[in-house]
């Protein structure tokens, strides 16, 4: 169906221009019902999109600044892999105070989503102590020594409570204004240990030294496993200490 699905948001709905949206999706600014919005076309399953759109609706209603799904004219939240969402303006964090505000917003996300069900097909870092794969991760494709490094890092998170983690709070996915912190691009969000979101520049989340080390190691291992095996993943794996 492709972008033809945009007609479900009204016959006058139009694409405007492409936006940066990562490799997995085709992301455009669109106009629906006379207002500027964002359209994201991808290949995620309906179950995956249902999980994400339900989460974003919940967070929007709870007061977080997120790209809230805009229902089509018949009420559906996605069609043919297409999701239409509100447009968030703002810029990336630049100062230490900005990053502290980001940390506070991430902690609010974690509080609001304690024990949230797992995204369909995904595994948490602790699940992967025993499972071999989940969505983007296939530990069978990694060398045994690399898997051992990753699992050693994730084992230090075992037994902790879980919540939804954004999964990729880099500056490009943050839209700040004077009065709010917006988080966009929820492609990597899933249920996991909250500290994985809190490895921020300058330790803006204020984790104590041991907690920061555990989170940084686990985060490096996660990114290595997700991206394996490109240059970035090899670099991230090297940051996870040998067993």
């Amino acid at each position: 169906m492709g972008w033809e699905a945009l007609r479900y948001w009204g016959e006058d709905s139009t694409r405007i221009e492409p936006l940066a949206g990562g490799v997995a999706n085709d992301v455009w600014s669109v106009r629906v019902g006379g207002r500027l919005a964002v359209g994201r076309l991808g290949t995620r399953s309906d179950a995956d999109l249902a999980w994400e759109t339900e989460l974003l609706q919940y967070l929007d209603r709870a007061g977080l600044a997120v790209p809230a799904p805009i229902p089509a004219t018949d009420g559906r939240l996605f069609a043919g892999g297409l999701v239409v969402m509100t447009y968030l303006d703002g810029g990336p964090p630049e100062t230490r105070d900005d990053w502290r505000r980001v940390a506070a917003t991430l902690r609010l996300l974690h509080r609001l989503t304690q024990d949230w069900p797992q995204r369909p097909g995904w595994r948490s870092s602790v699940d992967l102590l025993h499972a071999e794969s989940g969505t983007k991760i296939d530990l069978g494709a990694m060398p045994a020594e690399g898997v051992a490094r990753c699992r050693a890092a994730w084992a230090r998170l075992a037994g902790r409570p879980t919540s939804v983690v954004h999964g990729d709070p880099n500056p490009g996915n943050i839209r700040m204004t004077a009065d709010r912190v917006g988080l966009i691009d929820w492609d990597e969000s899933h249920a996991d240990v909250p500290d994985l979101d809190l490895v921020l520049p300058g330790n803006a989340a204020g984790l104590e030294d041991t907690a920061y080390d555990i989170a940084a190691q686990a985060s490096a291992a996660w990114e290595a496993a997700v991206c394996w095996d490109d240059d970035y993943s090899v670099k991230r794996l090297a940051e996870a200490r040998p067993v």
Side-chain angles (χ1 to χ4, degrees):
M1 187 180 293
W3 282 102
E4 291 178 7
L6 191 58
R7 71 177 185 272
Y8 288 109
W9 279 262
E11 292 300 331
D12 60 343
S13 298
T14 55
R15 279 193 290 169
I16 302 173
E17 60 181 356
L19 302 172
V23 236
N25 300 295
D26 190 15
V27 184
W28 284 63
S29 58
V30 298
R31 192 167 297 282
V32 296
R35 62 171 165 164
L36 183 65
V38 174
R40 189 195 72 195
L41 180 65
T43 57
R44 292 280 174 92
S45 69
D46 284 358
D48 184 284
L49 294 176
W51 184 94
E52 183 185 7
T53 51
E54 179 185 344
L55 170 69
L56 291 174
Q57 278 192 322
Y58 167 75
L59 295 176
D60 176 59
R61 290 166 182 160
L64 262 69
V66 298
I70 298 172
T73 55
D74 62 2
R76 70 180 78 186
L77 296 179
F78 51 89
L82 177 65
V83 183
V84 177
M85 299 167 281
T86 54
Y87 180 87
L88 288 186
D89 58 2
E94 295 176 347
T95 67
R96 185 168 176 80
D97 280 346
D98 286 347
W99 279 108
R100 287 194 186 108
R101 290 174 60 203
V102 172
T105 299
L106 289 166
R107 283 200 161 106
L108 177 56
L109 160 68
H110 302 153
R111 286 197 299 274
L112 287 169
T113 58
Q114 290 176 16
D115 299 320
W116 198 267
Q118 185 58 275
R119 192 170 193 153
W122 284 66
R123 305 278 192 179
S124 71
S125 52
V126 175
D127 291 335
L128 289 165
L129 293 176
H130 307 290
E132 290 294 318
S133 63
T135 310
K136 297 182 175 182
I137 291 179
D138 178 9
L139 295 180
M142 296 181 75
E145 188 268 345
V147 174
R149 281 195 191 206
C150 290
R151 284 180 164 159
W154 298 330
R156 300 168 80 191
L157 301 176
R160 298 196 192 187
T162 63
S163 69
V164 170
V165 294
H166 177 275
D168 192 15
N170 73 73
N173 288 336
I174 299 165
R175 297 285 184 270
M176 301 191 69
T177 65
D179 57 357
R180 60 113 176 106
V181 176
L183 297 171
I184 65 169
D185 192 353
W186 291 75
D187 262 15
E188 303 296 324
S189 60
H190 63 283
D192 216 319
V193 175
D195 278 8
L196 289 170
D197 263 349
L198 300 178
V199 185
L200 301 174
N203 189 18
L207 298 179
E208 58 94 16
D209 290 349
T210 301
Y212 185 87
D213 179 67
I214 290 171
Q217 293 280 310
S219 177
W222 180 268
E223 291 192 2
V226 165
C227 302
W228 194 262
D229 63 336
D230 60 14
D231 290 344
Y232 178 74
S233 66
V234 172
K235 177 185 172 186
R236 290 296 272 154
L237 182 60
E239 295 172 24
R241 284 190 294 273
V243 181

